[in-house]
Amino acid sequence: MAPSLGGLQLIPFAAGGRKPSPDDDGEDLEDVRLLDAYDEDGSGSEQGMRRIQVRVTGMTCAACSNSVEGALRDVNGVLRASVALLQNRADVVFDPKFVGEEDIKNAIEDAGFDAEIISEPNQTKPRGTLLGQFTIGGMTCAVCVNSVEGILRKLPGVKRAVVALATSLGEVEYDPTVINKDDIVNAIEDAGFEASFVQSSEQDKITLGVIGISSEMDALTLEGILTTIRGVRQFLFDRMSGELEVLFDPEVISSRSLVDGIEGASNANFKLQVKNPYTRMTSKDLEESSNMFRLFTSSLFLSIPVFLIKVVCPHIPLVDSLLLWRCGPFLMGDWLKWALVSLIQFVVGKRFYIGAGRALRNGSANMDVLIALGTSASYFYSVCALLYGAVTGFWSPTYFEASAMLITFVLLGKYLESLAKGKTSDAIKKLVELAPATALLLVKDKGGRFAEEREIDAMLIQPGDLLKVLPGTKVPADGIVTWGSSYVNESMVTGESAPVSKEVNSPVIGGTINLHGALHIRATKVGSNTVLSQIISLVETAQMSKAPIQKFADFVASIFVPTVIAMSLLTLLGWYVCGILGAYPKQWLPENGNYFVFALMFAISVVVIACPCALGLATPTAVMVATGVGANNGVLIKGGDALERAQKVKYVLFDKTGTLTQGKATVTTAKVFTGMDHGEFLTLVASAEASSEHPLGVAIVEYARHFHFFEDSSSTKDAQDHSRETRFSGWLLDVSDFSALPGRGVQCSIKGKLVLVGNRKLLAESGVTIPTDVENFLVNLEESAKTGVLVAYDDILVGVLGVADSLKREAAIVVEGLRKMGVVPVMVTGDNWRTARAVAKEVGIQDVRAEVMPAGKADVIHSFQKDGSTVAMVGDGINDSPALAAADVGMAIGAGTDIAIEAADYVLMRNNLEDVITAIDLSRKTFSRIRWNYVFAMAYNVIAIPIAAGVFFPWLGIRLPPWAAGACMALSSLSVVCSSLLLRRYKKPRLTTILEITVE
């Protein structure tokens, strides 16, 4: 039977639906779904299918709901039917070609219940796939992971499923019109694993901690409040934990309005706190560790007397005489060992039998099968030996202590492993802790004046909220400063150590620390859209992903257990047959033993010492630690496959502007070659470039504005915003037919005449001739690493501007560092050849590709990939998306708050080229660690299995008793996890070390 759900209340909102009575027996709730995922709109679940919901009255227990489900499934044309007892509702997917709504209703009524078709809601929602996250308990090795993934992928409506052993999490992309989250949970549980829903990409569920519920009357009051709030679909309150789960329509009511509505209607008697799903997952990890520790201590407490009876008590005459006292057919010592070991075998060790049954039911075999097989062989042989002795008088030795100590050592290893695995996910825990728990909301009155400051839960912040950030507190959400000035420490998010100045209109990132002055900010991004949430999502996605190298471990794990069992049987037969044939002396046998017992102990040792867990943990634990370490250093890695490719990088292609250079262009020269006035020339070119988004265009407009108004351009906070304001300032000319031409420049019409601002290619295409003196001037600019911008008016070249973009100070040393690491740096740019070569010479890059259009950068990458080389592309993530996607490893540098760059595999939060070296170095060290993990796991099994099988016993006298084999097996997994944890000590490489420079 399912465990009792006493203390849980679920309130359906269907009129006329039966509410569960407090007197209902919890046992009747077996197989009842606690929460329907959605109130579906009746849209087709599959092509040509329909989905409806039926209100069913008259059901009293799970047997009733099972009857309704059975009646519905027997109807020809019904694809799927599920009945929720507590909601008095049936969810039916059917083919309208074979069956109609009335037929479904009649089938329920024929089963003895009343049925009513629930009308479709007026409001329909756009449907797409959802991404759901589920915790999965009971997985022990890669075989379990493969089983769960296989089950999930076979479910109708599931598009993708990934399961991570190290985090015990599953990520499922599914179509909510075909399958809901409860169906997914049920499918996992039907396979024998534990499952619970964590969160989905649709923000329709909130979990609240409720303070103030002290009686049944309070619970009924809460129920009454929720039933009156519009937009609430369903809710579930757990009296034991004080947690309230609410399913609501986010288009009707917001989460903050929901919380305010409950607290307001209760006259502030109830205090609600939003539960973060990540912190709830952390508490589950702690619960698993504590449960494993409880099982281990119980087994140890029961095993110690068994060990003492076997080893110590025979040397204490008084105690030995009591143990040798015959009580019925057996000695007192035998009774005690049998009783104690039975508790260990079937109570403490029950989880191994459950896990083994689950695996065998799913057509696979895992570590639990080996442990259950080995301990059962030892236990049941000992029981048979006792019974045989009682009947025949011939007493063979028993091996109860082998079973007890084996389970104890395995549980010890599992407990230590769970602690170590918990440490691998510390990165996400630390990121979650960055977010503040509360925020100060500034409330205005009708006159627009500040009326009050109100403290709210940070998870209830909405876009547009005005928030106050005090000195020394954390910024609660991403936003824009509306009042005040201060310095903010952003190192915990971007990795940038220096505090950043913030003034009005400056962007701020949630989770960063305000150091000095008070700030008022307007929230722009909240919830899953914030930078911090996206970082957590990226890290989590990376930890869920599988590196290609893990496919090897998955394959080995799939055949490992059957192979080990076959080897164990061969060991048993080999030693037994050799004994019968006299191949070894009888002196090798234990006292009162026989050939079968002698062979059986070797066979059991083989079964329990072989461990597929170490293989399954070798890659995911290392990837988890590496992604966390990367996040702490401002390097976000999007998956294990990206890590694996990055460690093989041979070429790194750099974009020039904004990557090797500062990306802050400034005009250094402006020369007119006609009789046009200098100011008129600048007004003309600024008018043409005012609508441009290109950094060069922004720099030209800013230079012209400074020329006209004698303002210090350095005082400008945001040149691009100023360039937009100056359109209306009266000094720019009216522009028509503006067009930006990628890789060439811009063109427009001013006073009815064509204006061209760009490079040689633009003027050549338009038939404008470049005089020799202008060409010479242009060459001098380009050879000094400046970009020449040509200006033509009415098909006549009127002037040239020289624009410089200074190199990043670390560019040259990073290029040299990459070369020392065996990586070839290449520069690819849309700039002209002379400027490109001048910049490349300054940074030390020998291979240059210039005058390359944005789309052509992908072709350059393909040319390097032809010989099978792994190519990385480093760009700013704005106009380099095709190249970032084409590269084997795309690195978006200086992403800042724009971290959701789909094309990149690595997101480098800081605008610092040193992180390119960090990314490659971290991937190399990670895969070096993974290889060592596989060496540990494979070498352990290759060496340990022959020893356990007794291969060396005839020559060296070495043999492993089953309990020692169990201890070795437990330590193998622990050694792999601890090996991965060494990556937490990773330090960013010092460039002085890479370059072999000695600093005095």
Side-chain angles (χ1 to χ4, degrees), residues 8-11 34-35 86 226 234-238 243-247:
L8 294 179
Q9 296 179 344
L10 180 70
I11 311 302
L34 294 179
L35 280 174
L86 295 184
L226 283 165
Q234 298 155 349
F235 66 87
L236 171 70
F237 179 62
D238 186 344
E243 288 190 355
L244 171 68
E245 289 185 353
V246 183
L247 200 65

Side-chain angles (χ1 to χ4, degrees), residues 687-693 735-741 745-749:
S687 300
E689 289 283 9
S691 299
S692 173
E693 301 285 344
V735 174
S736 61
D737 301 327
F738 174 85
S739 177
L741 307 171
V746 300
Q747 69 178 27
C748 63
S749 293

Side-chain angles (χ1 to χ4, degrees), residues 543-617:
Q543 294 181 350
M544 291 291 299
S545 68
K546 290 186 177 182
I549 195 174
Q550 195 172 338
K551 293 178 182 177
F552 166 72
D554 292 342
F555 169 73
V556 173
S558 65
I559 62 172
F560 188 87
V561 175
T563 302
V564 168
I565 293 174
M567 292 173 65
S568 175
L569 291 174
L570 287 175
T571 301
L572 175 66
L573 291 174
W575 280 105
Y576 182 67
V577 171
C578 288
I580 295 297
L581 297 177
Y584 56 84
K586 287 189 176 182
Q587 289 80 1
W588 289 4
L589 301 180
E591 185 179 356
N592 295 328
N594 53 48
Y595 293 118
F596 178 77
V597 175
F598 186 66
L600 181 64
M601 289 301 105
F602 282 117
I604 292 174
S605 294
V606 170
V607 168
V608 298
I609 201 168
C611 180
C613 296
L615 281 170
L617 292 169

Side-chain angles (χ1 to χ4, degrees), residues 652-839:
V652 173
L653 274 63
F654 291 97
D655 179 41
K656 181 178 77 72
T657 304
T659 303
L660 290 173
T661 66
Q662 297 285 353
K664 297 176 182 177
T666 56
V667 177
T668 60
T669 308
K671 187 170 182 178
V672 182
F673 289 91
T674 64
M676 184 180 289
D677 178 73
H678 191 73
E680 184 183 352
F681 168 72
L682 290 178
T683 302
L684 180 74
V685 69
S687 300
E689 289 283 9
S691 299
S692 173
E693 301 285 344
H694 197 281
L696 298 184
V698 174
I700 291 170
V701 174
E702 185 59 24
Y703 177 79
R705 186 189 60 78
H706 171 61
F707 178 84
H708 275 274
F709 299 104
F710 301 102
E711 292 182 4
D712 183 5
S713 60
S714 64
S715 66
T716 303
K717 300 293 185 301
D718 190 336
Q720 188 169 351
D721 289 343
H722 275 276
S723 69
R724 295 185 181 283
E725 292 171 9
T726 54
R727 295 181 194 177
F728 307 100
S729 61
W731 68 279
L732 290 181
L733 304 173
D734 292 333
V735 174
S736 61
D737 301 327
F738 174 85
S739 177
L741 307 171
R744 296 188 292 277
V746 300
Q747 69 178 27
C748 63
S749 293
I750 296 178
K751 297 179 181 180
K753 296 179 180 179
L754 181 66
V755 178
L756 302 173
V757 183
N759 56 21
R760 291 183 182 85
K761 187 179 293 185
L762 175 62
L763 269 65
E765 290 175 354
S766 303
V768 178
T769 304
I770 303 175
T772 304
D773 58 334
V774 177
E775 180 64 31
N776 293 335
F777 180 78
L778 203 57
V779 169
N780 290 332
L781 284 175
E782 292 168 349
E783 287 179 347
S784 60
K786 295 176 183 177
T787 300
V789 179
L790 301 165
V791 182
Y793 182 55
D794 195 19
D795 294 333
I796 299 172
L797 194 148
V798 295
V800 176
L801 294 105
V803 183
D805 187 2
S806 59
L807 286 169
K808 292 178 179 175
R809 60 183 181 180
E810 75 276 5
I813 198 169
V814 167
V815 167
E816 180 64 18
L818 286 171
R819 195 173 284 112
K820 293 279 187 181
M821 295 171 69
V823 178
V824 180
V826 181
M827 188 177 79
V828 55
T829 177
D831 214 335
N832 63 82
W833 276 99
R834 288 191 186 88
T835 303
R837 287 195 182 102
V839 171

Side-chain angles (χ1 to χ4, degrees), residues 359-431:
L360 294 174
R361 188 165 64 247
N362 294 325
S364 59
N366 60 4
M367 185 201 75
D368 291 326
V369 172
L370 296 179
I371 296 173
L373 190 62
T375 57
S376 297
S378 177
Y379 175 83
F380 287 110
Y381 167 77
S382 299
V383 171
C384 292
L386 282 179
L387 296 176
Y388 182 78
V391 173
T392 64
F394 178 78
W395 299 94
S396 299
T398 59
Y399 294 92
F400 283 118
E401 67 283 349
S403 169
M405 296 184 70
L406 174 58
I407 290 176
T408 301
F409 279 113
V410 170
L411 289 173
L412 172 61
K414 284 294 174 186
Y415 168 63
L416 296 175
E417 182 184 317
S418 66
L419 290 179
K421 281 165 62 178
K423 292 185 181 296
T424 63
S425 59
D426 277 352
I428 285 185
K429 296 173 188 173
K430 289 178 180 178
L431 288 170

